[in-house]
Amino acid sequence: MRVMWKSMDKMRCFRKRSIFPFLGFLIAFLLFFNHYMDDGYVLEAEKRQLGETLIHPPNSERYVHTFRDLSNFSGTINVTYRYLAGLPLPRKKYLTIGLSSVKRKKGNYLLETIKSIFDQSSYEELKEIVVVVHLADFDLVWCENLVQEITRKFAHHIIAGRLLVIQAPEEYYPSLDGLKRNYNDPEDRVRFRSKQNVDYAFLLNFCTNLSDFYMMLEDDVRCSRNFLTALKKVITSREGSYWVMLEFSKLGYIGKLYHSRDLPRLAHFLLMFYQEMPCDWLLIHFRGLLAQKDVIRFKPSLFQHMGYYSSYKGAENKLKDDDFEEDSIDIPDNPPASLYTNINVFENYDATKAYSSIVDEYFWGKPPCTGDFFIIIFNKPTKITRIKILTGTEDRQNDILHHGALEVGQKSVDTKQGRQCTSYITLGEFKVGNIEVNNVDHKIGFDIECVRIVITASQKEWLIIRSVSLWTAQPVAQI
């Protein structure tokens, strides 16, 4: 490992002298990265030739060790971790929650964060999570004292295998002196964020095989109630669609969800570019590299920043996520369905956008006429307990549904226009653009196959359907 980092130190010195800007290097590396993420192996001669082509002049062998170690992006990094509390269980969990923590000059919120994770989870949810804390400070006395506190407060979670505390030894870290000062950051700031990238890389590397999914939090966060159930609803709703990173907070490196299978690649990526930029910027490049072009962020946010002082120099940091809600259990289930409308759609604001809980997604259509419809057809008959539909937005308050009815149907058949239900009953009329109906399953005597919005009078204004939210009778079982 030391050999590898010495090689990277040489690479750093070389790049300072290079006439090529970092952007060119990054693009070249991304091509290299894409090539290797699908291949199980590459001949050593090809690796050396590619490394020479992209990184250094002919006849130079500065970086052979570096590329030999980092070209296999699907494999874990060889680090011998210290187990400070707890041991991994043999059975894979559903979700790993990772936290990296260092000594702060002011305040320490780690214990409160761990407590919030456990307190806001039900007994059934606790069976499916494991929390991994990486104490990434080189002050071993501080680490030892903190481990004692953690062990005393959360002993039963440690015994149950729900809490692990680890440390990557200092000898595995690269040199943190003489780093590149990108963006005119002061040296201590560059050192802090560069080390933080390595801290996260070692944490991700450790967590690779613990669960199906991985959630990154910071060490000064509080959670919404039953956040795991909310996460599961979102993951289930994304089945069949491609994603790399789902976001459940708009702040920093909080509430970012990954497939665990992607963690080795992300760990290698952070290590390769640890000194170039902050981790949350690198994540944008990583997401794009794996072909997720746009941010996929959900509301309400499930995690809230609660610290007042940053881990960098104890500076004030009172950022808050105004999309956070303490009670996340109210997130709709929105079972798998197809959506159709005969209303003229504006640009790419199609019908499916109204059925998504992604931020800033909604259906937007041109002025509807009497008899126009917006229909949701479930993949299978479903017992619905609650329906809530909102139209218009804060900045386009006139683009609401002025006259419309909500209907539910059964006995679906295939037609030239797609699947349709042949029998409907009306649940209610829209008022000021919105409608909410509770106890739906008690008001009708069948499992629902279709939910339909019918325009009962033409309007001059365009129509935004901001959200269609449906709750099922047994959401936990469906998940």
Side-chain angles (χ1 to χ4, degrees):
M1 181 63 73
R2 278 297 187 190
V3 172
M4 183 187 79
W5 287 119
K6 286 179 181 178
S7 297
M8 292 192 77
D9 285 342
K10 293 179 181 179
M11 184 189 296
R12 179 168 63 245
C13 294
F14 175 79
R15 286 200 301 266
K16 287 179 179 177
R17 298 192 299 268
S18 174
I19 62 172
F20 297 103
F22 171 69
L23 181 59
F25 171 78
L26 179 59
I27 294 171
F29 173 74
L30 296 186
L31 294 173
F32 167 80
F33 189 85
N34 256 332
H35 176 74
Y36 280 103
M37 71 181 182
D38 290 325
D39 292 344
Y41 64 92
V42 176
L43 294 176
E44 192 65 35
E46 291 176 337
K47 286 193 288 185
R48 186 176 297 108
Q49 182 179 5
L50 183 60
E52 290 171 353
T53 302
L54 297 181
I55 305 300
H56 55 273
N59 303 322
S60 172
E61 298 190 7
R62 294 183 178 202
Y63 314 116
V64 172
H65 293 296
T66 299
F67 279 92
R68 183 177 296 140
D69 288 339
L70 294 183
S71 61
N72 181 17
F73 290 104
S74 62
T76 56
I77 302 160
N78 187 19
V79 177
T80 302
Y81 295 88
R82 296 191 184 105
Y83 287 84
L84 305 182
L87 290 171
L89 294 177
R91 184 179 72 85
K92 252 187 167 184
K93 298 295 186 77
Y94 183 83
L95 179 71
T96 299
I97 300 170
L99 307 167
S100 182
S101 189
V102 296
K103 182 169 64 176
R104 296 169 181 258
K105 291 188 176 182
K106 293 182 179 180
N108 189 309
Y109 312 98
L110 176 61
L111 296 178
E112 292 178 67
T113 300
I114 299 172
K115 185 176 186 299
S116 179
I117 292 171
F118 292 137
D119 286 354
Q120 297 290 59
S121 302
S122 68
Y123 176 72
E124 292 300 319
E125 289 171 329
L126 288 175
K127 293 178 181 178
E128 300 192 72
I129 66 174
V130 57
V131 179
V132 178
V133 178
H134 179 206
L135 295 186
D137 203 279
F138 298 150
D139 185 338
L140 299 184
V141 174
W142 175 83
C143 291
E144 182 180 347
N145 291 336
L146 188 53
V147 168
Q148 289 178 2
E149 282 192 75
I150 293 172
T151 303
R152 179 171 54 84
K153 289 180 179 290
F154 305 106
H156 59 298
H157 291 297
I158 294 173
I159 294 169
R162 287 191 290 268
L163 177 60
L164 306 175
V165 184
I166 63 165
Q167 185 179 55
E170 184 176 0
E171 56 264 28
Y172 286 93
Y173 278 73
S175 172
L176 297 172
D177 296 321
L179 300 172
K180 294 172 63 177
R181 292 181 59 183
N182 295 337
Y183 317 110
N184 293 318
D185 283 346
E187 287 187 17
D188 58 346
R189 177 68 183 177
V190 173
R191 176 186 172 90
F192 172 83
R193 62 171 169 78
S194 299
K195 178 182 177 297
Q196 188 177 57
N197 284 332
V198 183
D199 296 342
Y200 283 135
F202 288 154
L203 173 59
L204 293 163
N205 182 66
F206 178 87
C207 294
T208 295
N209 296 312
L210 298 182
S211 60
D212 297 321
F213 299 96
Y214 175 86
M215 172 67 71
M216 180 64 81
L217 294 183
E218 295 183 2
D219 64 348
D220 53 356
V221 168
R222 63 187 176 96
C223 310
S224 64
R225 190 174 297 109
N226 301 110
F227 65 87
L228 179 62
T229 297
L231 282 175
K232 280 189 161 188
K233 287 183 180 182
V234 169
I235 292 170
T236 299
S237 73
R238 302 292 297 182
E239 283 182 359
S241 64
Y242 179 78
W243 59 270
V244 176
M245 180 173 71
L246 303 182
E247 303 188 23
F248 296 87
S249 171
K250 62 183 179 183
L251 300 180
Y253 206 175
I254 298 173
K256 307 302 186 277
L257 182 74
Y258 302 90
H259 297 279
S260 292
R261 64 175 179 263
D262 288 332
L263 297 186
R265 297 170 182 173
L266 180 53
H268 281 298
F269 190 75
L270 290 176
L271 282 179
M272 179 66 82
F273 297 109
Y274 76 101
Q275 65 168 317
E276 302 297 344
M277 60 186 70
C279 59
D280 45 345
W281 295 10
L282 285 173
L283 295 180
I284 298 172
H285 290 288
F286 180 78
R287 167 172 55 75
L289 173 65
L290 294 189
Q292 180 189 316
K293 179 182 177 182
D294 299 318
V295 172
I296 306 176
R297 183 168 71 84
F298 295 86
K299 290 177 62 175
S301 296
L302 302 180
F303 307 97
Q304 178 65 285
H305 179 257
M306 67 176 177
Y308 291 102
Y309 299 102
S310 168
S311 51
Y312 172 64
K313 281 190 168 183
E316 282 196 4
N317 180 10
K318 298 182 179 181
L319 287 175
K320 295 296 178 185
D321 188 336
D322 53 14
D323 292 328
F324 174 75
E325 289 184 12
E326 188 77 32
D327 191 352
S328 67
I329 199 65
D330 200 38
I331 288 180
D333 300 302
N334 284 15
S338 300
L339 287 86
Y340 308 98
T341 183
N342 65 345
I343 301 170
N344 290 326
V345 179
F346 175 63
E347 293 186 349
N348 63 339
Y349 293 88
D350 58 78
T352 60
K353 301 292 178 65
Y355 203 56
S356 167
S357 56
I358 300 175
V359 174
D360 296 331
E361 287 200 346
Y362 49 81
F363 167 79
W364 199 2
K366 297 179 181 180
C369 300
T370 304
D372 285 351
F373 63 84
F374 182 104
I375 186 170
I376 302 157
I377 304 177
F378 302 129
N379 292 356
K380 61 182 181 181
T382 305
K383 192 177 291 296
I384 300 294
T385 60
R386 180 182 167 203
I387 301 174
K388 182 178 181 180
I389 300 174
L390 306 176
T391 68
T393 61
E394 288 186 7
D395 57 341
R396 296 188 178 274
Q397 297 182 14
N398 289 329
D399 290 359
I400 64 172
L401 180 53
H402 295 278
H403 303 282
L406 174 64
E407 301 176 341
V408 293
Q410 61 176 333
K411 300 178 181 178
S412 64
V413 295
D414 291 323
T415 70
K416 291 182 179 179
Q417 290 76 35
R419 251 171 68 230
Q420 300 281 351
C421 284
T422 58
S423 174
Y424 283 94
I425 66 171
T426 301
L427 290 182
E429 301 286 331
F430 280 75
K431 296 181 178 179
V432 198
N434 302 324
I435 188 170
E436 181 170 4
V437 182
N438 295 302
N439 301 316
V440 176
D441 53 331
H442 296 160
K443 295 176 180 178
I444 60 173
F446 55 86
D447 288 349
I448 296 172
E449 296 183 61
C450 306
V451 173
R452 185 168 71 175
I453 301 169
V454 178
I455 312 303
T456 55
S458 300
Q459 62 184 59
K460 296 180 180 180
E461 297 80 12
W462 288 33
L463 173 62
I464 290 176
I465 300 179
R466 186 164 83 247
S467 63
V468 177
S469 302
L470 309 175
W471 287 262
T472 60
Q474 296 177 317
V476 175
Q478 289 180 6
I479 290 166

